Amino acid sequence: MVVAGYYSYSFYNFANNISHKSDKPQGSGGTMIAQSIKDKGDKFIPPKWEGKQRVNILLLGGDSRGMTKNELPRSDSIMLASIDPVTKKAHLFSILRDTYVKIPGEGEDRINTAITLGGPNLAMKTVSDLLGIPIQYYVYTDFKGFIALIDAVGGIDIDVEKDMKYSDSEDDHVYDINLKKGLQHLDGKTALQYVRFRHDALSDFSRTERQRKFLTAVAQKMQATSSLIKLPRILNSIDPYIDTNLSVTDMLKLGTLGYEAKADGIVSSQLPPSDLLIEKNVRGAAVITANKEKLQLYVKDLFAGKAEADSGPTKPSPSPTPKSSVKTTK
């Protein structure tokens, strides 16, 4: 009871800071999405969560390196956390960023472009339409926020499946990847290397599986008593790098629910699942599609325990073309 009260109190202070972040100037050290970008998605108001029905939170990982004021954030990963407040059962989905979808009001394009076209509200609406479920909240962070979180919890022990090496000249090789196979204790920087690596035969498929595996390990560690004791420091460390539509009240409710949910029982799955995945070529760009009705039924059945979670295909993915646009006319 004391631990739960301490947990809620720490969340209150954190949530109060986050809710006033809009008062801070863009570029003041935080991961703020420019208001001009958010304004574009204002008409897509997310539904309210009353606390009794399933809550869905879109987790957006951005690559904000080199961004200037009012510049569009580059989406690096899209995940969805879903918790049933009655059963306390949690699901974690990773959405393949090359999934070709209809973006409301913007035609068709890869799903990871939705945030650049209309901010988090449009990203939530796009994912909601694809999966057939309401999405009430979003949490956006970038490389620095991820590093700060992992360092604050004291790092994560993870079994690295293979040697991972990649040279990234984007920031003078600050984000190069160089990991060795085997059980390792990863700090913030090496953890970022692990969840970003996609330069193998399965490309984004294996990368999203690693991200789900890693975030599940983070959730488990966050529920440990040692992490709860350090909660104020953990929350303060990530405060500058978080952008979200969660209010103080919402965070308190979700904080309590997150403490009660069983992190070691998280159901993790790739979307679209491999048996529904269709590879296509649109205007010279390799993309992924799926029958929307079948995809929505899969998600519904997964929530009901009638379908098996999918970790991804065992065959190579199509060659990625991350910087080309495949957008069609409206």
Side-chain angles (χ1 to χ4, degrees):
M1 189 71 177
V2 174
V3 173
Y6 181 73
Y7 187 85
S8 297
Y9 174 75
S10 300
F11 247 97
Y12 177 82
N13 287 334
F14 172 70
N16 192 54
N17 288 337
I18 290 291
S19 66
H20 289 92
K21 184 169 286 189
S22 59
D23 300 333
K24 301 176 183 178
Q26 174 77 10
S28 60
T31 307
M32 294 294 294
I33 300 174
Q35 191 60 46
S36 60
I37 300 173
K38 292 183 179 180
D39 289 344
K40 296 178 182 179
D42 270 356
K43 60 183 176 181
F44 303 109
I45 301 174
K48 291 184 178 180
W49 181 53
E50 303 298 338
K52 296 182 179 180
Q53 75 274 39
R54 177 179 293 277
V55 59
N56 300 302
I57 308 109
L58 191 63
L59 308 176
L60 300 165
D63 182 355
S64 58
R65 293 174 293 171
M67 278 181 59
T68 58
K69 184 177 180 179
N70 296 328
E71 188 176 356
L72 300 178
R74 292 169 290 181
S75 180
D76 194 60
S77 64
I78 307 171
M79 305 188 78
L80 183 73
S82 181
I83 307 175
D84 185 330
V86 177
T87 65
K88 306 298 189 294
K89 190 72 174 178
H91 289 74
L92 181 63
F93 301 104
S94 53
I95 302 170
L96 296 172
R97 60 183 183 178
D98 283 339
T99 305
Y100 194 64
V101 298
K102 183 175 182 180
I103 300 176
E106 298 291 343
E108 295 180 301
D109 207 335
R110 287 187 176 93
I111 198 165
N112 69 334
T113 65
I115 189 173
T116 70
L117 297 170
N121 278 7
L122 182 56
M124 285 190 288
K125 175 63 175 173
T126 301
V127 176
S128 176
D129 287 353
L130 176 67
L131 304 183
I133 58 175
I135 298 178
Q136 299 94 343
Y137 304 114
Y138 77 89
V139 177
Y140 175 92
T141 190
D142 67 357
F143 291 178
K144 291 180 180 179
F146 180 84
I147 291 172
L149 171 62
I150 305 308
D151 284 341
V153 300
I156 297 292
D157 293 325
I158 207 80
D159 188 11
V160 179
E161 308 91 68
K162 61 175 77 176
D163 289 348
M164 299 177 185
K165 192 173 181 65
Y166 178 70
S167 180
D168 187 350
S169 60
E170 181 77 16
D171 281 290
D172 295 326
H173 300 283
V174 172
Y175 294 106
D176 281 359
I177 298 173
N178 188 10
L179 296 175
K180 297 296 182 182
K181 179 181 178 180
L183 182 63
Q184 296 186 45
H185 182 78
L186 302 182
D187 62 9
K189 288 185 177 180
T190 50
L192 182 64
Q193 294 179 30
Y194 179 74
V195 298
R196 287 188 65 223
F197 184 76
R198 65 191 293 256
H199 305 279
D200 53 17
L202 291 176
S203 188
D204 207 37
F205 297 104
S206 54
R207 188 185 77 132
T208 55
E209 182 179 3
R210 281 191 289 271
Q211 289 174 348
R212 296 192 308 273
K213 171 184 172 182
F214 191 84
L215 286 187
T216 298
V218 172
Q220 291 170 345
K221 187 160 187 178
M222 285 291 290
Q223 285 191 334
T225 303
S226 58
S227 292
L228 290 175
I229 292 174
K230 296 185 292 184
L231 191 60
R233 180 167 61 83
I234 293 172
L235 297 178
N236 285 336
S237 68
I238 64 174
D239 179 13
Y241 309 105
I242 295 292
D243 192 299
T244 181
N245 65 335
L246 285 159
S247 67
V248 173
T249 303
D250 296 332
M251 282 196 183
L252 285 172
K253 288 192 294 185
L254 281 176
T256 302
L257 181 58
Y259 176 74
E260 295 173 345
K262 299 292 188 294
D264 57 356
I266 292 176
V267 176
S268 165
S269 184
Q270 169 194 287
L271 296 178
S274 54
D275 60 343
L276 296 182
L277 194 149
I278 303 169
E279 298 172 5
K280 284 188 176 181
N281 189 288
V282 178
R283 298 185 179 180
V287 297
I288 295 161
T289 64
N291 181 290
K292 192 161 76 169
E293 290 183 0
K294 291 181 179 179
L295 177 59
Q296 292 181 358
L297 180 60
Y298 169 76
V299 172
K300 182 179 179 181
D301 286 347
L302 200 59
F303 285 154
K306 299 178 181 179
E308 292 186 5
D310 179 64
S311 62
T314 56
K315 63 179 181 178
S317 66
S319 300
T321 52
K323 293 188 178 181
S324 64
S325 174
V326 293
K327 189 174 180 180
T328 62
T329 56
K330 296 183 184 179

